[in-house]
Amino acid sequence: MNKQPLLEKLEKGNFQLSNRVVMAPMTRSRATNEEKAPFDIHVEYYRQRASAGLIITEGSQISEKAVGYINSPGIHTKAQVEGWKKVTEAVHAEGGKIFIQLWHVGRMSHPDFHGGDLPHAPSAINPNAKSFTPEGFKDTVTPKEMKLAEIKQTILDYQSAAKNAMEAGFDGVEIHSSNGYLLHQFFNKTSNIRTDEYGGSIENRAKILFEVIDAIKEVMPEEKIGLRLNPSLNGIFGMTMDEETIPTFDYIIEKLNAYKLAYLHLSEPFNDVSDIPYAVTKIAERYRPIFKGTLIINANFDQEKGNSYILEGLADAVAYGKPYVSNPDLVERFEQNAPLADWDADTFYTPGEKGYTDYPKLSVSKSI
Ligand SMILES: Cc1cc2nc3c(=O)[nH]c(=O)nc-3n(C[C@H](O)[C@H](O)[C@H](O)COP(=O)(O)O)c2cc1C
């Protein structure tokens, strides 16, 4: 029997996984059709990776307004639901489990996606980043500050996307409140200078997240809702930490204990933040004692580090991103302590099968 913690079953409350290896959400920009709907190659890509304890799909826009990357699939139209149905059926047929990541990019979008209209954001502050448009990378613009009615509509869009996700056969949804996108933009003082009920205090800046969870809870079981946060994101995707950033995440994560969520998915810092006075450099160490539910940890993990985090009780499961691009059978490779194949970053976001469905599985037979 293989004793690696990563390969043990996870059974916590109503959330059960056959192993603790999670496929992290990754935008792959393959929805190259008018409908922005998943099709055959998506079915094959996710099917190949179904031995993961849990697959979290690429970020999928909850509405037209939410889009901000070329060829990302949505979950707001009939055609998209039909496309995703084939994906969930294929993953389930292989015995896998799959959540969809619900995405609104906010100010990371570009007028090119919206017929010239400005992207929506908590405040009219340009992230001074790049947006991945149909014409390549372009500088972001100063977005439009959302009106209250637009915030309410966005919450409803999350709700109807979650309803669509259930119809499409997903095992759950992951709210993308991470990586500098819309919900994360609400959390930080540097991106949210609103003076109404959605800005000003920590509670107000976190309010939209809880309203989104509450709205989604109305259309699906709370135990099927996951959530992603990246507290120490700084200098990437236009985000700048401030002295209230970590206290805001402390407040959010403590408050999440009142819910029976499937899991909380946290990222360790994406880059070196040791010289940022406001940053926490060890995310699992800070938040494992605070969050009482299932904790998935991510970013720059290999097999050894993943096993040791679980063994030390710092996380319940580990999400792997780039290793899953090039190792569809990551779980089997861990089982066999086999070497991993390298990923090709040049084909992360290119159309078609190359660099997507053509990474081979290990051909060697199982070792002891
Ligand atoms: C090609 C690519 C696309 C990504 N797209 C998403 C995404 O849609 N949603 C998300 O939350 N994170 C996204 N990420 C971040 C990954 O989920 C993960 O946090 C990151 O790759 C670090 O984990 P790793 O070191 O295991 O790759 C993406 C990363 C890569 C490499």
mmCIF file of all heavy atoms in Angstrom, residues 24-28 57-60 101 103 174 176 178-179 181 228 230 265 267 270 298-301 319-323 325 343 348-349, ligand 1:
data_model
loop_
_atom_site.group_PDB
_atom_site.id
_atom_site.type_symbol
_atom_site.label_atom_id
_atom_site.label_comp_id
_atom_site.label_asym_id
_atom_site.label_seq_id
_atom_site.Cartn_x
_atom_site.Cartn_y
_atom_site.Cartn_z
ATOM 1 N N ALA A 24 -5.507 22.439 -9.949
ATOM 2 C CA ALA A 24 -5.800 23.869 -9.749
ATOM 3 C C ALA A 24 -6.476 24.451 -10.993
ATOM 4 O O ALA A 24 -6.245 23.966 -12.110
ATOM 5 C CB ALA A 24 -4.506 24.626 -9.458
ATOM 6 N N PRO A 25 -7.301 25.474 -10.806
ATOM 7 C CA PRO A 25 -7.954 26.102 -11.960
ATOM 8 C C PRO A 25 -6.935 26.751 -12.887
ATOM 9 O O PRO A 25 -6.053 27.470 -12.423
ATOM 10 C CB PRO A 25 -8.864 27.156 -11.312
ATOM 11 C CG PRO A 25 -8.271 27.410 -9.964
ATOM 12 C CD PRO A 25 -7.627 26.133 -9.545
ATOM 13 N N MET A 26 -7.065 26.473 -14.176
ATOM 14 C CA MET A 26 -6.141 27.082 -15.138
ATOM 15 C C MET A 26 -6.837 27.485 -16.435
ATOM 16 O O MET A 26 -7.359 26.622 -17.160
ATOM 17 C CB MET A 26 -4.991 26.120 -15.446
ATOM 18 C CG MET A 26 -3.919 26.135 -14.379
ATOM 19 S SD MET A 26 -2.579 25.017 -14.793
ATOM 20 C CE MET A 26 -3.398 23.454 -14.693
ATOM 21 N N THR A 27 -6.802 28.752 -16.698
ATOM 22 C CA THR A 27 -7.285 29.301 -17.960
ATOM 23 C C THR A 27 -6.431 28.750 -19.092
ATOM 24 O O THR A 27 -5.204 28.820 -19.028
ATOM 25 C CB THR A 27 -7.173 30.839 -17.904
ATOM 26 O OG1 THR A 27 -8.076 31.298 -16.907
ATOM 27 C CG2 THR A 27 -7.495 31.479 -19.237
ATOM 28 N N ARG A 28 -7.057 28.177 -20.106
ATOM 29 C CA ARG A 28 -6.296 27.609 -21.207
ATOM 30 C C ARG A 28 -6.717 28.184 -22.567
ATOM 31 O O ARG A 28 -6.186 27.798 -23.610
ATOM 32 C CB ARG A 28 -6.402 26.079 -21.207
ATOM 33 C CG ARG A 28 -5.961 25.373 -19.905
ATOM 34 C CD ARG A 28 -4.518 25.679 -19.494
ATOM 35 N NE ARG A 28 -3.591 25.516 -20.586
ATOM 36 C CZ ARG A 28 -3.033 24.362 -20.958
ATOM 37 N NH1 ARG A 28 -3.292 23.274 -20.285
ATOM 38 N NH2 ARG A 28 -2.196 24.308 -21.979
ATOM 39 N N THR A 57 -12.090 23.558 -12.605
ATOM 40 C CA THR A 57 -11.932 23.990 -14.000
ATOM 41 C C THR A 57 -11.273 25.363 -14.074
ATOM 42 O O THR A 57 -11.182 26.094 -13.088
ATOM 43 C CB THR A 57 -13.284 24.136 -14.730
ATOM 44 O OG1 THR A 57 -13.956 25.305 -14.220
ATOM 45 C CG2 THR A 57 -14.152 22.906 -14.590
ATOM 46 N N GLU A 58 -10.896 25.709 -15.255
ATOM 47 C CA GLU A 58 -10.459 27.065 -15.572
ATOM 48 C C GLU A 58 -11.530 28.078 -15.162
ATOM 49 O O GLU A 58 -12.722 27.738 -15.098
ATOM 50 C CB GLU A 58 -10.246 27.160 -17.072
ATOM 51 C CG GLU A 58 -11.515 26.891 -17.894
ATOM 52 C CD GLU A 58 -11.199 26.251 -19.233
ATOM 53 O OE1 GLU A 58 -10.911 26.966 -20.193
ATOM 54 O OE2 GLU A 58 -11.247 25.005 -19.292
ATOM 55 N N GLY A 59 -11.127 29.295 -14.886
ATOM 56 C CA GLY A 59 -12.068 30.366 -14.601
ATOM 57 C C GLY A 59 -13.059 30.480 -15.760
ATOM 58 O O GLY A 59 -12.662 30.493 -16.927
ATOM 59 N N SER A 60 -14.347 30.534 -15.418
ATOM 60 C CA SER A 60 -15.398 30.557 -16.443
ATOM 61 C C SER A 60 -16.316 31.727 -16.156
ATOM 62 O O SER A 60 -16.888 31.822 -15.051
ATOM 63 C CB SER A 60 -16.177 29.241 -16.407
ATOM 64 O OG SER A 60 -15.260 28.170 -16.556
ATOM 65 N N GLN A 101 -14.914 26.867 -11.718
ATOM 66 C CA GLN A 101 -14.532 28.133 -11.098
ATOM 67 C C GLN A 101 -15.329 29.285 -11.719
ATOM 68 O O GLN A 101 -15.291 29.498 -12.930
ATOM 69 C CB GLN A 101 -13.028 28.385 -11.262
ATOM 70 C CG GLN A 101 -12.575 29.527 -10.347
ATOM 71 C CD GLN A 101 -11.126 29.909 -10.509
ATOM 72 O OE1 GLN A 101 -10.654 30.081 -11.642
ATOM 73 N NE2 GLN A 101 -10.417 30.072 -9.412
ATOM 74 N N TRP A 103 -16.066 33.084 -12.429
ATOM 75 C CA TRP A 103 -15.070 34.147 -12.626
ATOM 76 C C TRP A 103 -15.699 35.438 -13.119
ATOM 77 O O TRP A 103 -16.519 35.432 -14.039
ATOM 78 C CB TRP A 103 -14.102 33.634 -13.685
ATOM 79 C CG TRP A 103 -12.776 34.291 -13.821
ATOM 80 C CD1 TRP A 103 -12.112 35.042 -12.912
ATOM 81 C CD2 TRP A 103 -11.914 34.204 -14.967
ATOM 82 N NE1 TRP A 103 -10.886 35.414 -13.398
ATOM 83 C CE2 TRP A 103 -10.742 34.911 -14.648
ATOM 84 C CE3 TRP A 103 -12.009 33.577 -16.210
ATOM 85 C CZ2 TRP A 103 -9.679 35.027 -15.553
ATOM 86 C CZ3 TRP A 103 -10.950 33.687 -17.091
ATOM 87 C CH2 TRP A 103 -9.799 34.406 -16.777
ATOM 88 N N GLU A 174 -16.409 26.759 -7.442
ATOM 89 C CA GLU A 174 -15.408 27.517 -6.688
ATOM 90 C C GLU A 174 -15.576 28.992 -7.038
ATOM 91 O O GLU A 174 -15.478 29.372 -8.210
ATOM 92 C CB GLU A 174 -13.978 27.067 -7.029
ATOM 93 C CG GLU A 174 -12.928 27.921 -6.311
ATOM 94 C CD GLU A 174 -11.493 27.435 -6.476
ATOM 95 O OE1 GLU A 174 -11.140 26.389 -5.915
ATOM 96 O OE2 GLU A 174 -10.733 28.113 -7.201
ATOM 97 N N HIS A 176 -14.260 32.429 -7.505
ATOM 98 C CA HIS A 176 -12.907 32.965 -7.728
ATOM 99 C C HIS A 176 -12.821 34.355 -7.097
ATOM 100 O O HIS A 176 -13.126 35.366 -7.721
ATOM 101 C CB HIS A 176 -12.652 33.035 -9.236
ATOM 102 C CG HIS A 176 -11.206 33.245 -9.602
ATOM 103 N ND1 HIS A 176 -10.215 33.462 -8.661
ATOM 104 C CD2 HIS A 176 -10.581 33.261 -10.805
ATOM 105 C CE1 HIS A 176 -9.050 33.608 -9.284
ATOM 106 N NE2 HIS A 176 -9.250 33.482 -10.587
ATOM 107 N N SER A 178 -10.014 35.683 -5.919
ATOM 108 C CA SER A 178 -8.565 35.617 -5.784
ATOM 109 C C SER A 178 -7.888 36.344 -6.943
ATOM 110 O O SER A 178 -8.549 36.844 -7.854
ATOM 111 C CB SER A 178 -8.227 34.120 -5.811
ATOM 112 O OG SER A 178 -6.918 33.858 -5.472
ATOM 113 N N ASN A 179 -6.559 36.381 -6.876
ATOM 114 C CA ASN A 179 -5.714 36.766 -8.011
ATOM 115 C C ASN A 179 -6.042 38.103 -8.677
ATOM 116 O O ASN A 179 -5.869 38.267 -9.884
ATOM 117 C CB ASN A 179 -5.702 35.638 -9.054
ATOM 118 C CG ASN A 179 -5.129 34.361 -8.465
ATOM 119 O OD1 ASN A 179 -4.676 34.352 -7.325
ATOM 120 N ND2 ASN A 179 -5.145 33.286 -9.217
ATOM 121 N N TYR A 181 -8.864 39.640 -9.270
ATOM 122 C CA TYR A 181 -10.092 39.807 -10.067
ATOM 123 C C TYR A 181 -11.188 40.479 -9.233
ATOM 124 O O TYR A 181 -10.933 40.923 -8.116
ATOM 125 C CB TYR A 181 -10.506 38.461 -10.674
ATOM 126 C CG TYR A 181 -9.425 37.968 -11.616
ATOM 127 C CD1 TYR A 181 -8.675 36.829 -11.355
ATOM 128 C CD2 TYR A 181 -9.091 38.717 -12.756
ATOM 129 C CE1 TYR A 181 -7.645 36.425 -12.200
ATOM 130 C CE2 TYR A 181 -8.065 38.325 -13.602
ATOM 131 C CZ TYR A 181 -7.345 37.179 -13.322
ATOM 132 O OH TYR A 181 -6.319 36.802 -14.152
ATOM 133 N N ARG A 228 -11.824 30.600 -3.343
ATOM 134 C CA ARG A 228 -10.367 30.748 -3.465
ATOM 135 C C ARG A 228 -9.899 32.144 -3.045
ATOM 136 O O ARG A 228 -10.494 33.145 -3.468
ATOM 137 C CB ARG A 228 -9.945 30.498 -4.916
ATOM 138 C CG ARG A 228 -8.444 30.473 -5.065
ATOM 139 C CD ARG A 228 -7.973 30.003 -6.423
ATOM 140 N NE ARG A 228 -6.726 29.278 -6.248
ATOM 141 C CZ ARG A 228 -5.821 29.076 -7.187
ATOM 142 N NH1 ARG A 228 -6.023 29.489 -8.405
ATOM 143 N NH2 ARG A 228 -4.715 28.425 -6.920
ATOM 144 N N ASN A 230 -6.183 34.612 -2.209
ATOM 145 C CA ASN A 230 -4.729 34.757 -2.338
ATOM 146 C C ASN A 230 -4.317 36.000 -1.537
ATOM 147 O O ASN A 230 -4.087 37.072 -2.095
ATOM 148 C CB ASN A 230 -4.379 34.907 -3.823
ATOM 149 C CG ASN A 230 -2.894 34.804 -4.104
ATOM 150 O OD1 ASN A 230 -2.073 34.892 -3.183
ATOM 151 N ND2 ASN A 230 -2.532 34.637 -5.362
ATOM 152 N N HIS A 265 -9.764 27.391 -0.532
ATOM 153 C CA HIS A 265 -8.581 27.141 -1.361
ATOM 154 C C HIS A 265 -7.675 28.375 -1.257
ATOM 155 O O HIS A 265 -8.033 29.451 -1.741
ATOM 156 C CB HIS A 265 -9.072 26.922 -2.809
ATOM 157 C CG HIS A 265 -8.006 26.619 -3.801
ATOM 158 N ND1 HIS A 265 -8.283 26.417 -5.132
ATOM 159 C CD2 HIS A 265 -6.669 26.477 -3.679
ATOM 160 C CE1 HIS A 265 -7.166 26.169 -5.782
ATOM 161 N NE2 HIS A 265 -6.175 26.202 -4.926
ATOM 162 N N SER A 267 -3.820 30.306 -1.627
ATOM 163 C CA SER A 267 -2.518 30.295 -2.309
ATOM 164 C C SER A 267 -1.450 30.868 -1.396
ATOM 165 O O SER A 267 -1.654 31.907 -0.763
ATOM 166 C CB SER A 267 -2.562 31.141 -3.585
ATOM 167 O OG SER A 267 -3.430 30.564 -4.529
ATOM 168 N N PHE A 270 2.510 34.203 -4.563
ATOM 169 C CA PHE A 270 2.974 33.834 -5.908
ATOM 170 C C PHE A 270 4.419 34.284 -6.149
ATOM 171 O O PHE A 270 5.104 33.759 -6.998
ATOM 172 C CB PHE A 270 2.070 34.469 -6.978
ATOM 173 C CG PHE A 270 0.802 33.684 -7.255
ATOM 174 C CD1 PHE A 270 0.492 32.524 -6.564
ATOM 175 C CD2 PHE A 270 -0.073 34.118 -8.249
ATOM 176 C CE1 PHE A 270 -0.665 31.805 -6.831
ATOM 177 C CE2 PHE A 270 -1.240 33.406 -8.535
ATOM 178 C CZ PHE A 270 -1.536 32.250 -7.826
ATOM 179 N N ASN A 298 -2.087 25.823 -2.282
ATOM 180 C CA ASN A 298 -1.554 25.844 -3.655
ATOM 181 C C ASN A 298 -0.331 26.752 -3.765
ATOM 182 O O ASN A 298 -0.039 27.522 -2.869
ATOM 183 C CB ASN A 298 -2.639 26.356 -4.620
ATOM 184 C CG ASN A 298 -2.098 26.751 -5.984
ATOM 185 O OD1 ASN A 298 -2.024 27.935 -6.314
ATOM 186 N ND2 ASN A 298 -1.693 25.784 -6.771
ATOM 187 N N ALA A 299 0.270 26.618 -4.903
ATOM 188 C CA ALA A 299 1.336 27.452 -5.464
ATOM 189 C C ALA A 299 2.716 26.885 -5.176
ATOM 190 O O ALA A 299 3.175 26.852 -4.029
ATOM 191 C CB ALA A 299 1.236 28.904 -5.026
ATOM 192 N N ASN A 300 3.330 26.472 -6.251
ATOM 193 C CA ASN A 300 4.719 25.999 -6.236
ATOM 194 C C ASN A 300 4.965 24.771 -5.367
ATOM 195 O O ASN A 300 6.008 24.664 -4.737
ATOM 196 C CB ASN A 300 5.655 27.134 -5.804
ATOM 197 C CG ASN A 300 5.644 28.244 -6.823
ATOM 198 O OD1 ASN A 300 5.783 27.995 -8.027
ATOM 199 N ND2 ASN A 300 5.429 29.473 -6.362
ATOM 200 N N PHE A 301 4.006 23.880 -5.322
ATOM 201 C CA PHE A 301 4.197 22.643 -4.569
ATOM 202 C C PHE A 301 4.732 21.545 -5.489
ATOM 203 O O PHE A 301 4.332 21.456 -6.644
ATOM 204 C CB PHE A 301 2.873 22.167 -3.951
ATOM 205 C CG PHE A 301 2.561 22.859 -2.649
ATOM 206 C CD1 PHE A 301 2.112 24.170 -2.635
ATOM 207 C CD2 PHE A 301 2.749 22.201 -1.443
ATOM 208 C CE1 PHE A 301 1.845 24.824 -1.435
ATOM 209 C CE2 PHE A 301 2.491 22.844 -0.240
ATOM 210 C CZ PHE A 301 2.039 24.158 -0.234
ATOM 211 N N ALA A 319 -3.368 21.715 -4.243
ATOM 212 C CA ALA A 319 -3.728 21.953 -5.647
ATOM 213 C C ALA A 319 -2.465 22.184 -6.471
ATOM 214 O O ALA A 319 -1.605 22.986 -6.101
ATOM 215 C CB ALA A 319 -4.665 23.156 -5.754
ATOM 216 N N TYR A 320 -2.388 21.464 -7.580
ATOM 217 C CA TYR A 320 -1.257 21.584 -8.499
ATOM 218 C C TYR A 320 -1.751 22.210 -9.798
ATOM 219 O O TYR A 320 -2.731 21.739 -10.379
ATOM 220 C CB TYR A 320 -0.657 20.204 -8.791
ATOM 221 C CG TYR A 320 0.011 19.583 -7.576
ATOM 222 C CD1 TYR A 320 -0.718 18.817 -6.673
ATOM 223 C CD2 TYR A 320 1.364 19.800 -7.325
ATOM 224 C CE1 TYR A 320 -0.111 18.265 -5.552
ATOM 225 C CE2 TYR A 320 1.978 19.245 -6.199
ATOM 226 C CZ TYR A 320 1.240 18.487 -5.317
ATOM 227 O OH TYR A 320 1.843 17.955 -4.200
ATOM 228 N N GLY A 321 -1.061 23.260 -10.232
ATOM 229 C CA GLY A 321 -1.418 23.931 -11.476
ATOM 230 C C GLY A 321 -0.556 23.425 -12.621
ATOM 231 O O GLY A 321 -0.876 22.426 -13.277
ATOM 232 N N LYS A 322 0.563 24.098 -12.840
ATOM 233 C CA LYS A 322 1.420 23.780 -13.992
ATOM 234 C C LYS A 322 1.776 22.289 -14.095
ATOM 235 O O LYS A 322 1.793 21.759 -15.206
ATOM 236 C CB LYS A 322 2.661 24.673 -13.962
ATOM 237 C CG LYS A 322 2.304 26.151 -14.146
ATOM 238 C CD LYS A 322 3.514 27.068 -14.131
ATOM 239 C CE LYS A 322 4.179 27.222 -12.788
ATOM 240 N NZ LYS A 322 3.359 27.896 -11.747
ATOM 241 N N PRO A 323 2.041 21.601 -12.963
ATOM 242 C CA PRO A 323 2.327 20.161 -13.126
ATOM 243 C C PRO A 323 1.179 19.414 -13.823
ATOM 244 O O PRO A 323 1.413 18.415 -14.510
ATOM 245 C CB PRO A 323 2.509 19.674 -11.682
ATOM 246 C CG PRO A 323 2.983 20.898 -10.941
ATOM 247 C CD PRO A 323 2.237 22.038 -11.568
ATOM 248 N N VAL A 325 -0.662 20.659 -16.222
ATOM 249 C CA VAL A 325 -0.661 20.949 -17.661
ATOM 250 C C VAL A 325 0.017 19.797 -18.393
ATOM 251 O O VAL A 325 -0.507 19.279 -19.384
ATOM 252 C CB VAL A 325 0.091 22.278 -17.948
ATOM 253 C CG1 VAL A 325 0.367 22.441 -19.444
ATOM 254 C CG2 VAL A 325 -0.698 23.467 -17.410
ATOM 255 N N TRP A 343 6.284 21.334 -18.492
ATOM 256 C CA TRP A 343 5.231 22.001 -19.260
ATOM 257 C C TRP A 343 5.853 23.004 -20.227
ATOM 258 O O TRP A 343 6.961 23.490 -20.001
ATOM 259 C CB TRP A 343 4.253 22.715 -18.322
ATOM 260 C CG TRP A 343 4.913 23.668 -17.366
ATOM 261 C CD1 TRP A 343 5.276 24.971 -17.594
ATOM 262 C CD2 TRP A 343 5.319 23.381 -16.021
ATOM 263 N NE1 TRP A 343 5.873 25.504 -16.479
ATOM 264 C CE2 TRP A 343 5.909 24.565 -15.507
ATOM 265 C CE3 TRP A 343 5.231 22.246 -15.199
ATOM 266 C CZ2 TRP A 343 6.411 24.644 -14.205
ATOM 267 C CZ3 TRP A 343 5.736 22.341 -13.907
ATOM 268 C CH2 TRP A 343 6.314 23.512 -13.424
ATOM 269 N N PHE A 348 0.393 27.536 -23.203
ATOM 270 C CA PHE A 348 -0.607 27.670 -22.140
ATOM 271 C C PHE A 348 -1.945 28.195 -22.706
ATOM 272 O O PHE A 348 -3.000 27.725 -22.330
ATOM 273 C CB PHE A 348 -0.134 28.656 -21.060
ATOM 274 C CG PHE A 348 0.789 28.066 -20.028
ATOM 275 C CD1 PHE A 348 1.411 28.897 -19.090
ATOM 276 C CD2 PHE A 348 1.036 26.701 -19.960
ATOM 277 C CE1 PHE A 348 2.245 28.368 -18.109
ATOM 278 C CE2 PHE A 348 1.881 26.164 -18.989
ATOM 279 C CZ PHE A 348 2.490 27.008 -18.065
ATOM 280 N N TYR A 349 -1.842 29.198 -23.571
ATOM 281 C CA TYR A 349 -3.062 29.923 -23.990
ATOM 282 C C TYR A 349 -3.308 29.887 -25.492
ATOM 283 O O TYR A 349 -4.015 30.736 -26.016
ATOM 284 C CB TYR A 349 -2.971 31.392 -23.537
ATOM 285 C CG TYR A 349 -2.669 31.565 -22.067
ATOM 286 C CD1 TYR A 349 -1.421 32.022 -21.639
ATOM 287 C CD2 TYR A 349 -3.634 31.285 -21.102
ATOM 288 C CE1 TYR A 349 -1.141 32.185 -20.284
ATOM 289 C CE2 TYR A 349 -3.363 31.447 -19.750
ATOM 290 C CZ TYR A 349 -2.113 31.897 -19.351
ATOM 291 O OH TYR A 349 -1.849 32.052 -18.016
HETATM 292 C C1 LIG B 1 -1.810 28.760 -17.548
HETATM 293 C C2 LIG B 1 -2.341 29.169 -16.198
HETATM 294 C C3 LIG B 1 -3.659 29.609 -16.091
HETATM 295 C C4 LIG B 1 -4.185 29.941 -14.842
HETATM 296 N N1 LIG B 1 -5.518 30.300 -14.746
HETATM 297 C C5 LIG B 1 -6.091 30.433 -13.535
HETATM 298 C C6 LIG B 1 -7.493 30.589 -13.405
HETATM 299 O O1 LIG B 1 -8.271 30.577 -14.381
HETATM 300 N N2 LIG B 1 -7.998 30.726 -12.168
HETATM 301 C C7 LIG B 1 -7.194 30.727 -11.051
HETATM 302 O O2 LIG B 1 -7.699 30.869 -9.930
HETATM 303 N N3 LIG B 1 -5.865 30.571 -11.146
HETATM 304 C C8 LIG B 1 -5.295 30.388 -12.344
HETATM 305 N N4 LIG B 1 -3.948 30.140 -12.439
HETATM 306 C C9 LIG B 1 -3.151 29.983 -11.213
HETATM 307 C C10 LIG B 1 -3.050 28.507 -10.824
HETATM 308 O O3 LIG B 1 -4.300 28.003 -10.388
HETATM 309 C C11 LIG B 1 -2.030 28.313 -9.681
HETATM 310 O O4 LIG B 1 -2.430 29.095 -8.598
HETATM 311 C C12 LIG B 1 -0.618 28.697 -10.086
HETATM 312 O O5 LIG B 1 -0.268 28.102 -11.329
HETATM 313 C C13 LIG B 1 0.394 28.270 -9.026
HETATM 314 O O6 LIG B 1 0.331 26.865 -8.823
HETATM 315 P P1 LIG B 1 1.442 25.880 -9.473
HETATM 316 O O7 LIG B 1 2.766 26.348 -8.921
HETATM 317 O O8 LIG B 1 1.075 24.520 -8.991
HETATM 318 O O9 LIG B 1 1.380 26.039 -10.949
HETATM 319 C C14 LIG B 1 -3.380 29.854 -13.678
HETATM 320 C C15 LIG B 1 -2.056 29.439 -13.803
HETATM 321 C C16 LIG B 1 -1.535 29.083 -15.034
HETATM 322 C C17 LIG B 1 -0.115 28.585 -15.126
#
